[in-house]
Amino acid sequence: MSALGYPLALAPLAAIGLLAVALRPVAPATVARRRLALVRAALVTGTFAVLTVELLGALRLLTLPAFATAWLAFLAAAAVVAGRRRRRDAAHGGLRAAAHRAVEVVAAREPALVGATTGPTAATPAPAPPPAADPGVASRPAGWSTRLAHAWRTAGRGERLLAGTVGGLLLVELLIALLAEPNNFDSQTYHLPKVEHWVARGGLDFWPTAIHRQVTIPPGAEYLLLHLRLFTGGDALHNLVQWAAGVGVLLAATRITAQLGGGRRAQLLTAFALATTPMVALQATSTQTDLVCAAWVACAATVALDGLRRRAGVGAMLALGAATGLTALTKTSGLVAVGPLLLLWGLAQLRLARAGGSGSRQVRRTVAGSALILLVAVVVVGPFLARVTAEFGHPLGPPRLRESIPMERHDPPSLVVNALRIAHTAFDTPLAPLRRAGAEAIVGGAELIGVDPQDRATTFGRERFPVPSWYPDEDRVAFPLAGALAAIGAAYALARPGRISPTRAGSLRAYAVVVVAAALLHTAMIKWQPWGNRLLLYALTLAVPLAGLWLDALFRRRAAGAGGRRSVAAGLAVSVLATCALAGVLAVSYGFPRRLVGAGSVFTTSEWDTRFLRRPQWAEEFRWAADAVRATDARRIGLVQQNDNWEYPWWLLLRDADGRPPQLVALQSVLPGRPPADPASVDAIVCTGSRPACTALVPVGWRVQFRGYVGYALPPGR
């Protein structure tokens, strides 16, 4: 890591901190003002990071000096805006203090006059002391440390236990994220190779490749990784992007709970249920992209909920547009939830316009605001979609991508079977008899209504239902506890919202409708797949606040002396929460492929072996081939690989001694307009996967060596 890279790697964090000061809500009654400020700051910083990549990529300036200049300018601007906001707040505070002092002076000189107008009398009671701070509403400008200390002092034992568990998990996840090298399977195939291609090429133009996902899958999360890659010269901090997204998910989800009427305990229950979900805990130390997508969706949700009770300003519209664009650029499946959220926001804004009696003018304003949201989203995601359209003639990429993940059948029986399979995988448990019974019932029911449960039109690739998904693996682990709590919370929010949140019953029911609609749309639009649980992470994030609210209402009724059945239900809920805590602890302790203890521990496993925990037998094979190629001083190296092969190790092993990326060129290409390189134009060839595919491309007379999964070829004389 360069000397310049250390402070630059902190630039995004510093920018969010400065912008959180500058973008604090003005209205004193705003729910969870500081969390909203952080959400706004994250959206502005994320949008800046994305647009910086797009602009500098168009100029072919994806270099450390260019990015350093951009971030320093951004930090300077954020510091100026934050400083102005502080001075303005101080001036307003000074005016208020002067007014209070003037009243005190008048009261001292003319007590009768002041008493007749402002002081307490028999008819006018003395002003009540200021109320205790509502955890969801910040009523006075107290510092973070003061507020946290006050919250801790006033919290009960259970609330402290909830907060301590969440904080402990975040700290352990941060430790793992810093110690563990990136070792996610998809990251080895396409997430991290695309970052290396950008660095090597200096631009964002597509390149010939046998792995279409390197260019067709939306690159929003990888854009964020690119900044850290240029700052540090490597991938040491790559896991921090998802860890930061995990923190953002918790902040946004707890604010959603507060917006729906939940107090401090409800918000802590929400954070606890989400933080202890193994999928969240494992992805928070990964270079996957699902948690980043969930964070942007949660940002959209909390901003949209503000629009249910008051007219939205331009700032809120810009924030919604940014959240929509960042979601689309990270993972298009997240739009399944963002769409209903925007619809809810638009309907609420129209209702407020009619209630205010402003007529057609406010309706036009709402329509214009919706257009502004879409415009901002297009600015964020549009450049990537334009490149994909120019390359493949369709904004969603080539046919193989459009047909592999989206559902190809939409008849009601097929939709029902797909929903049942997705639910079975999401709610899987270690109880094998229960898993088998559920799967057999789904398969038998599907055949009974004339649906093939393994239909390729509703099933990804060549996979077959069912598969075990209970084990804490970042790509497929189920979430039966959090999912069940969220489902119960959603049911109560739809049927009896007033019993959960008496002051926000209408908003709660409307939000629950959106959550249920997003879940149903997901099952109607996305095929079943073994690793489909991680694709549901955004929906789980939106649903868990309903669980927090329901649990809080359950404990509230128990404390109020409710009947025996409710006491039993509350006791069961406590047991479920304890099991959630155990699941979260086990996930960070023994989860795969990054863990604290046992085989593969981040403390006892070498850097190189950590990268290959998914496929340990390949670690030495890659080194063997790379050593042979490096010994020949080859500069231009050809790649032979298949769609799901690991490419990233070559970028690590074949880079120059000074850290410059190697010159790797593909000898196959699935992009019609990007022909592969001529095998005769390279100095050496490295291969993964199929030996016949490799030998078919090796020029006559070259020496081919293969060892298991990996091989290489050298020309005569080398």
Side-chain angles (χ1 to χ4, degrees):
M1 184 182 290
S2 66
L4 181 61
Y6 278 100
L8 282 177
L10 297 174
L13 181 62
I16 290 176
L18 290 169
L19 290 172
V21 173
L23 299 175
R24 284 199 306 263
V26 176
T30 302
V31 175
R33 297 172 65 207
R34 287 171 173 80
R35 275 171 278 175
L36 177 57
L38 286 171
V39 166
R40 291 174 173 177
L43 290 171
V44 172
T45 304
T47 302
F48 166 79
V50 164
L51 295 182
T52 297
V53 173
E54 290 289 359
L55 177 60
L56 295 180
L59 299 174
R60 303 194 66 80
L61 286 175
L62 299 182
T63 62
L64 176 58
F67 273 64
T69 301
W71 275 103
L72 291 175
F74 185 64
L75 284 174
V80 169
V81 176
R84 289 179 177 175
R85 176 61 185 271
R86 280 186 176 276
R87 289 192 295 271
R88 186 176 64 185
D89 289 349
H92 290 169
L95 291 174
R96 288 192 296 268
H100 285 301
R101 285 195 299 270
V103 171
E104 291 172 358
V105 170
V106 173
R109 293 179 179 177
E110 303 288 345
L113 176 62
V114 175
T117 56
T118 62
T121 66
T124 305
D134 185 336
V137 180
S139 58
R140 60 180 182 272
W144 281 98
S145 59
T146 302
R147 290 173 57 81
L148 288 175
H150 173 75
W152 187 260
R153 285 194 305 269
T154 58
R157 182 181 303 175
E159 292 176 343
R160 291 182 180 184
L161 184 59
L162 293 172
T165 303
V166 173
L169 285 174
L170 287 176
L171 290 176
V172 173
E173 290 161 10
L174 176 60
L175 177 65
I176 296 175
L178 290 171
L179 293 180
E181 287 72 28
N183 59 1
N184 173 263
F185 195 103
D186 285 348
S187 296
Q188 306 278 13
T189 300
Y190 67 95
H191 289 311
L192 300 187
K194 71 169 67 173
V195 175
E196 296 300 325
H197 276 287
W198 295 332
V199 174
R201 300 169 67 85
L204 300 175
D205 293 339
F206 292 163
W207 53 90
T209 178
I211 304 173
H212 76 87
R213 291 176 293 174
Q214 290 183 0
V215 296
T216 58
I217 297 293
E222 291 89 341
Y223 278 3
L224 305 182
L225 293 177
L226 176 61
H227 293 264
L228 295 178
R229 168 65 176 85
L230 291 172
F231 292 161
T232 66
D235 58 16
L237 301 182
H238 278 11
N239 292 331
L240 293 185
V241 170
Q242 283 257 113
W243 183 84
V247 174
V249 160
L250 295 179
L251 291 174
T254 54
R255 183 171 189 265
I256 291 171
T257 305
Q259 290 171 286
L260 296 175
R264 180 170 62 192
R265 183 173 59 187
Q267 295 172 52
L268 286 173
L269 286 167
T270 296
F272 180 86
L274 198 54
T276 56
T277 301
M279 178 66 76
V280 175
L282 291 169
Q283 288 237 355
T285 64
S286 170
T287 48
Q288 265 292 8
T289 62
D290 305 282
L291 207 49
V292 177
C293 174
W296 298 134
V297 172
C299 287
T302 191
V303 175
L305 280 177
D306 282 336
L308 268 60
R309 300 182 66 85
R310 64 173 182 267
R311 296 290 295 165
V314 174
M317 298 172 188
L318 293 174
L320 281 173
T324 302
L326 290 169
T327 300
L329 189 63
T330 303
K331 220 173 187 68
T332 52
S333 57
L335 295 177
V336 172
V338 173
L341 285 168
L342 292 179
L343 179 60
L344 175 65
W345 177 87
L347 293 175
Q349 291 294 291
L350 291 174
R351 178 183 60 80
L352 291 172
R354 290 197 300 269
S358 50
S360 60
R361 183 174 63 85
Q362 289 299 332
V363 172
R364 289 195 299 270
R365 183 177 181 272
T366 301
V367 173
S370 302
L372 178 61
I373 292 171
L374 295 178
L375 176 62
V376 174
V378 169
V379 169
V380 174
V381 72
F384 169 71
L385 294 181
R387 289 193 297 274
V388 173
T389 303
E391 192 73 33
F392 301 104
H394 195 286
L396 297 182
R400 65 185 301 177
L401 178 63
R402 302 197 303 271
E403 297 169 1
S404 61
I405 297 177
M407 286 277 287
E408 298 177 78
R409 290 185 58 178
H410 297 90
D411 54 288
S414 295
L415 295 180
V416 170
V417 171
N418 192 55
L420 291 174
R421 292 185 303 169
I422 290 175
H424 180 274
T425 304
F427 288 87
D428 191 20
T429 72
L431 303 175
L434 181 62
R435 180 190 315 119
R436 285 196 298 269
E440 290 172 359
I442 293 173
V443 171
E447 294 173 348
L448 188 63
I449 60 176
V451 175
D452 180 4
Q454 316 298 346
D455 187 356
R456 297 303 99 190
T458 61
T459 306
F460 181 87
R462 300 176 181 176
E463 306 298 329
R464 294 187 62 82
F465 173 83
V467 296
S469 60
W470 63 267
Y471 184 78
D473 183 304
E474 66 174 354
D475 282 338
R476 62 175 65 190
V477 61
F479 35 83
L481 298 176
L485 292 174
I488 295 173
Y492 269 89
L494 290 172
R496 297 181 177 180
R499 302 187 67 175
I500 298 178
S501 178
T503 61
R504 298 285 192 275
S507 298
L508 177 60
R509 175 174 281 166
Y511 181 77
V513 169
V514 167
V515 171
V516 172
L520 293 177
L521 285 172
H522 183 99
T523 61
M525 298 175 66
I526 298 178
K527 294 178 179 178
W528 174 87
Q529 49 191 284
W531 43 88
N533 288 341
R534 63 183 180 83
L535 302 182
L536 280 167
L537 194 53
Y538 73 90
L540 180 69
T541 298
L542 295 185
V544 166
L546 301 176
L549 289 163
W550 171 71
L551 287 169
D552 180 62
L554 187 65
F555 294 142
R556 189 170 61 244
R557 291 197 296 272
R558 179 191 186 187
R565 285 187 300 175
R566 292 199 180 103
S567 296
V568 171
L572 290 175
V574 171
S575 300
V576 171
L577 290 175
T579 308
C580 287
L582 178 61
V585 171
L586 290 176
V588 296
S589 300
Y590 295 96
F592 194 74
R594 291 165 303 281
R595 56 177 51 165
L596 284 178
V597 297
S601 166
V602 294
F603 296 117
T604 60
T605 308
S606 68
E607 175 266 344
W608 189 248
D609 289 337
T610 298
R611 297 181 184 278
F612 284 84
L613 283 175
R614 285 285 187 190
R615 298 291 187 272
Q617 68 275 19
W618 294 350
E620 186 54 36
E621 295 175 5
F622 270 98
R623 275 192 168 178
W624 161 77
D627 288 343
V629 171
R630 288 177 62 88
T632 66
D633 293 324
R635 300 297 306 164
R636 182 176 167 87
I637 303 167
L639 287 174
V640 178
Q641 55 196 359
Q642 287 74 58
N643 185 56
D644 207 29
N645 289 176
W646 285 18
E647 180 182 312
Y648 186 59
W650 299 126
W651 290 98
L652 299 175
L653 291 167
L654 299 175
R655 64 176 50 179
D656 293 341
D658 60 0
R660 287 184 301 174
Q663 186 180 0
L664 297 179
V665 296
L667 302 186
Q668 312 138 289
S669 178
V670 294
L671 278 67
R674 309 279 174 175
D678 184 353
S681 69
V682 301
D683 303 323
I685 296 174
V686 291
C687 310
T688 51
S690 169
R691 178 168 185 161
C694 180
T695 55
L697 291 170
V698 172
V700 177
W702 284 40
R703 176 169 55 94
V704 180
Q705 297 288 328
F706 238 87
R707 182 182 291 182
Y709 178 76
V710 179
Y712 68 89
L714 298 173
R718 282 185 178 264

